[in-house]
Amino acid sequence: MNNSRNAIDVRNVTKVYRSGSLEVEALRGVTFTIERGEYVAIMGPSGSGKSTLMNVLGCLDRATTGTYLLDGIDVSGLDDNALAQIRLKKLGFIFQGFNLLARTDAIKNVALPLFYAGVPPRERTQAAIKQLEAVGLGDRGKHKPSELSGGQQQRVAIARALVNDPAVLLADEPTGNLDSKTSVEILALFERLNAEGRTIIMVTHDENVASHAKRVLRMLDGLLVSDGPPAPLRHTEGDSLIKS
Amino acid sequence: MTNYLQEALGALFSNRLRTVLALLGLVIGVAAVVAIQVLGQATSGALSGSLRFMSQDTFIVLPDTQKGFDPKSMFTLADLAAINRMPNVVEAIPYTQLPVTARFGAQTAKLNVAPVGDDPRFLAQPLETGRPVTQGDVAARTPVCVISANAAEKLQADAAAIVGHALRAGDNHCTVVGVMRKAPTGAINFDFSPDILVPYTVFAREHMRGNKIFEAQVLVDDTSSMTQTERTVNDYLAGASNGKFKYRALDSHFFASILDKLFAIVSLVVGAIGAISLVVAGIGIMNILLVSIVERTREIGVRKAIGARKGQILLQFFLEAAALAVFGCSFGAVFGLLAGWYVNSHYLIKISGVIVPLQWEQSVILASVFAAVITLAFGTYPALRAARLDPIEALRYE
Ligand SMILES: Nc1ncnc2c1ncn2[C@@H]1O[C@H](COP(=O)(O)OP(=O)(O)O)[C@@H](O)[C@H]1O
Ligand SMILES: [Mg+2]
């Protein structure tokens, strides 16, 4: 932790994929900062580099060139284990497909990051129950993912992302697998978390989902092409948030 | 550590059928090896116990029949008398037995009659009652006999009551002077030992037409120089045939060495079966782990995205391999011990009459070594594969 107000500081980041003689420039020099407490949506057409950027931001992949400071820490040159440690301590992931462990109940799923952090079982369970209560699933702790609805599963995933008190929440199409009513619930939960001071970065291709964020980064061909407030809503939320 | 173990066990329990199938090979392999090991020990113990039918103090001399048997190579009572006079020889007697129909009172039984000397060391069992055959009996060719407990039983005679009474053995009579103690039930030495022992001079007169002897049993004084005595006896007999025939001696060391060779072969076979079952079972376990890793690619991706380090994923899958190996080997060892114990106590004991205690400690060590080797040899690669998965690709895996 440092005094900088930036949760994310990305400078001239490029990412080049090489497969044989073929080179794909997925990111061609991206520079931006995200302050603590911001709620940012990343948008852009398919193939524009959103996932690549999210992988770099999520410390799952390294930029080819450029620097990346996460919560004031330069993570550009870190090795696999150090990056794993950063993910463990600084980041919370929310996936489109929830990605919960199927044969494990909600409490154990939420406690998983603490398991890898070496927190003793009793404390883990207590912290997990607290997070499940915070997302409104205090009574579902013993349920397996198959016994939960999509919206409930995503809330378990959000509780899991929050359990290590991360500096940044990263969500990749978090409502992509949900119906419109449930999407509204999840987005409301995001807004509440943001109001409580969480930094949230969310990839979406849906303008109406993006409109919940306070800031939208638009990408095209590996470049950042616009940075500003979301476009105004065209429809009422309930109608437009159709299942993607 | 216990947390990882729980994770590993959870994974195995969640796919019970597959886990059981993977373990089956290991269980059967280890069970077979442990059972054979246990039985090997029991058989070896039983046989060395029953080796007592061959006294440590005697050896047997007979013509070397490697080039075929020539009746002229048989020797005579006169030869035995000569051997008797040799240094270190206590007594030399014919070594043979004949089946006869014995009768005592109204009772008849099929029994064996055999020659015996005056030294009690020739008796397979110590006397229960009465007296042994004496030097006087041998010299005077007195028709007396010492009988086994088995003989008394078959003739339905009480040991104490039969002493002093005449017994009919084939065409001849003998007066029972002693009854031997009962041999351990079912022991091999019981089967080998004759029922009616008569002075060898009497045996020669009644049964050995032409006085021809094929095998002789020689009792020595000092067992440490037995080999030398054997050579002297062989040389004497060879000389008596004017060098036409060769003779050889068999003693308890000779039988022991045959047994040793037998068990060396058995151990080798067991070792080979063990090695093969180890490899086959190991491949089975490796296969199951690899399948499980492919199936759980996404899960591994999630774990890594959440912050699991390589070492932590490695440990988890390594422990899964170890848990499989430990389960399989423990069950295998238990089944093997049970099978070995069953065969030993229900079948082997009938042959040997000797109860050999189960050497379960050795089986535990064997099973532990199996488990460790299988875990290391076949768990390392799958665990490494899981640990090396790229989280991005793993998360994208459908
Ligand atoms: N692992 C990879 N290997 C090679 N090329 C890749 C890989 N991942 C993405 N790309 C390429 O990089 C570009 C950006 O992809 P991506 O970041 O997935 O875009 P988006 O998520 O916006 O659809 C695309 O042209 C894609 O084909
Ligand atoms: Mg994408």
Side-chain angles (χ1 to χ4, degrees):
Chain A
M1 227 81 41
N2 69 9
N3 303 327
S4 157
R5 292 168 58 206
N6 290 333
I8 302 274
D9 185 342
V10 169
R11 290 175 210 162
N12 283 318
V13 161
T14 68
K15 181 71 195 180
V16 181
Y17 290 111
R18 277 190 192 86
S19 43
S21 58
L22 209 71
E23 281 195 2
V24 180
E25 258 188 301
L27 296 177
R28 300 194 288 156
V30 176
T31 303
F32 65 89
T33 59
I34 293 173
E35 285 180 19
R36 294 211 180 92
E38 276 199 87
Y39 184 3
V40 179
I42 298 175
M43 297 199 72
S46 184
S48 57
K50 305 184 295 291
S51 296
T52 306
L53 179 60
M54 281 297 262
N55 288 341
V56 171
L57 294 182
C59 294
L60 291 165
D61 207 351
R62 282 182 209 84
T64 308
T65 62
T67 55
Y68 169 29
L69 302 180
L70 171 61
D71 202 26
I73 303 164
D74 187 353
V75 298
S76 315
L78 297 183
D79 67 10
D80 284 354
N81 273 341
L83 285 181
Q85 195 64 16
I86 293 283
R87 294 197 293 272
L88 189 62
K89 299 285 181 202
K90 299 281 179 194
L91 295 168
F93 288 89
I94 297 153
F95 306 94
Q96 177 172 0
F98 320 137
N99 279 337
L100 299 174
L101 303 192
R103 51 166 197 277
T104 319
D105 66 23
I107 290 176
K108 287 242 174 70
N109 261 295
V110 173
L112 195 61
L114 301 178
F115 168 74
Y116 287 118
V119 176
R122 191 182 294 263
E123 284 174 48
R124 281 203 311 255
T125 307
Q126 278 169 359
I129 291 171
K130 219 179 101 200
Q131 282 306 327
L132 280 171
E133 280 164 0
V135 298
L137 286 176
D139 55 342
R140 293 289 195 276
K142 291 284 171 201
H143 290 233
K144 300 229 167 107
S146 57
E147 298 157 358
L148 297 169
S149 73
Q152 287 171 330
Q153 286 187 55
Q154 192 60 302
R155 279 194 276 164
V156 172
I158 292 168
R160 181 177 66 187
L162 289 171
V163 80
N164 56 346
D165 191 23
V168 177
L169 267 186
L170 293 170
D172 195 348
E173 299 274 8
T175 59
N177 283 12
L178 300 174
D179 61 43
S180 51
K181 186 170 162 287
T182 319
S183 297
V184 172
E185 283 170 23
I186 294 297
L187 290 169
L189 179 56
F190 275 16
E191 266 166 288
R192 203 189 83 210
L193 292 171
N194 179 239
E196 289 166 9
R198 292 278 170 205
T199 312
I200 303 176
I201 303 172
M202 168 176 77
V203 166
T204 182
H205 64 268
D206 187 330
E207 289 288 351
N208 291 304
V209 171
S211 68
H212 287 259
K214 292 177 184 158
R215 177 183 168 196
V216 177
L217 300 177
R218 290 179 197 277
M219 300 195 61
L220 190 64
D221 290 339
L223 289 170
L224 204 59
V225 290
S226 91
D227 181 355
L233 277 184
R234 286 166 299 177
H235 307 284
T236 57
E237 275 177 16
D239 296 335
S240 60
L241 284 170
I242 44 155
K243 194 177 185 320
S244 322
Chain B
M1 191 71 177
T2 49
N3 295 326
Y4 287 94
L5 204 56
Q6 275 173 7
E7 286 268 320
L9 293 181
L12 295 176
F13 269 109
S14 71
N15 208 329
R16 250 157 276 175
L17 178 65
R18 184 196 289 171
T19 303
V20 167
L21 287 177
L23 285 181
L24 218 53
L26 188 56
V27 171
I28 292 170
V30 173
V33 172
V34 167
I36 292 169
Q37 182 204 22
V38 166
L39 283 179
Q41 285 163 350
T43 319
S44 133
L47 284 181
S48 59
S50 60
L51 260 187
R52 277 172 294 162
F53 80 84
M54 173 99 207
S55 160
Q56 302 275 320
D57 304 319
T58 69
F59 65 88
I60 289 163
V61 61
L62 72 164
D64 190 338
T65 52
Q66 271 174 357
K67 288 176 193 150
F69 169 66
D70 186 338
K72 290 195 192 89
S73 64
M74 291 168 81
F75 42 95
T76 63
L77 278 177
D79 291 320
L80 283 192
I83 293 169
N84 256 328
R85 286 190 298 270
M86 289 178 184
N88 198 28
V89 173
V90 180
E91 202 166 17
I93 61 169
Y95 185 71
T96 179
Q97 48 183 317
L98 285 173
V100 292
T101 305
R103 174 190 287 271
F104 179 69
Q107 199 63 36
T108 60
K110 290 236 175 280
L111 296 172
N112 290 315
V113 62
V116 72
D118 62 50
D119 196 291
R121 278 175 283 183
F122 282 116
L123 298 180
Q125 302 296 328
L127 285 176
E128 169 80 36
T129 177
R131 64 164 180 85
V133 166
T134 62
Q135 207 168 357
D137 297 330
V138 173
R141 305 191 174 194
T142 326
V144 293
C145 54
V146 169
I147 64 170
S148 67
N150 175 54
E153 206 172 279
K154 283 196 175 153
L155 294 170
Q156 291 184 359
D158 182 64
I162 197 172
V163 171
H165 294 278
L167 177 76
R168 193 179 171 87
D171 300 331
N172 307 291
H173 291 269
C174 64
T175 308
V176 178
V177 291
V179 180
M180 285 184 278
R181 231 177 256 168
K182 207 170 163 59
T185 343
I188 286 176
N189 55 2
F190 184 83
D191 294 330
F192 276 78
S193 52
D195 305 302
I196 303 168
L197 296 165
V198 299
Y200 68 92
T201 46
V202 175
F203 186 90
R205 182 183 64 202
E206 292 173 352
H207 302 289
M208 289 162 51
R209 311 246 152 80
N211 273 354
K212 285 299 187 186
I213 299 168
F214 176 58
E215 283 177 282
Q217 188 176 15
V218 182
L219 178 68
V220 299
D221 213 8
D222 174 18
T223 50
S224 63
S225 55
M226 189 188 269
T227 320
Q228 218 178 313
T229 311
E230 287 170 5
R231 205 173 305 132
T232 316
V233 170
N234 289 346
D235 289 349
Y236 163 79
L237 289 173
S241 74
N242 291 319
K244 261 179 84 181
F245 304 108
K246 277 186 183 158
Y247 294 82
R248 60 203 220 103
L250 310 176
D251 54 29
S252 58
H253 296 292
F254 172 79
F255 289 111
S257 75
I258 289 180
L259 273 188
D260 283 347
K261 275 179 206 150
L262 198 71
F263 286 120
I265 293 169
V266 169
S267 312
L268 204 74
V269 171
V270 171
I273 292 172
I276 292 168
S277 72
L278 189 93
V279 169
V280 171
I283 290 171
I285 284 187
M286 182 140 115
N287 182 48
I288 209 94
L289 286 171
L290 287 174
V291 169
S292 150
I293 285 164
V294 169
E295 263 183 4
R296 286 149 72 191
T297 301
R298 241 179 126 79
E299 178 193 318
I300 295 165
V302 173
R303 289 174 183 275
K304 291 194 120 186
I306 276 171
R309 288 192 305 273
K310 269 184 192 164
Q312 292 174 312
I313 302 285
L314 185 87
L315 183 61
Q316 185 192 334
F317 281 91
F318 198 71
L319 279 177
E320 240 172 77
L324 276 171
V326 168
F327 266 138
C329 292
S330 316
F331 277 117
V334 169
F335 286 140
L337 277 170
L338 283 177
W341 167 81
Y342 185 85
V343 174
N344 189 23
S345 58
H346 285 77
Y347 299 103
L348 268 188
I349 226 147
K350 285 191 187 140
I351 308 169
S352 67
V354 185
I355 300 163
V356 182
L358 279 188
Q359 310 258 315
W360 60 270
E361 298 96 334
Q362 284 192 27
S363 305
V364 169
I365 292 170
L366 188 82
S368 310
V369 169
F370 264 39
V373 169
I374 283 187
T375 309
L376 287 173
F378 299 99
T380 310
Y381 172 68
L384 270 176
R385 237 177 107 127
R388 283 187 190 144
L389 276 179
D390 174 39
I392 299 169
E393 271 166 33
L395 277 171
R396 221 185 276 143
Y397 184 86
E398 290 301 330

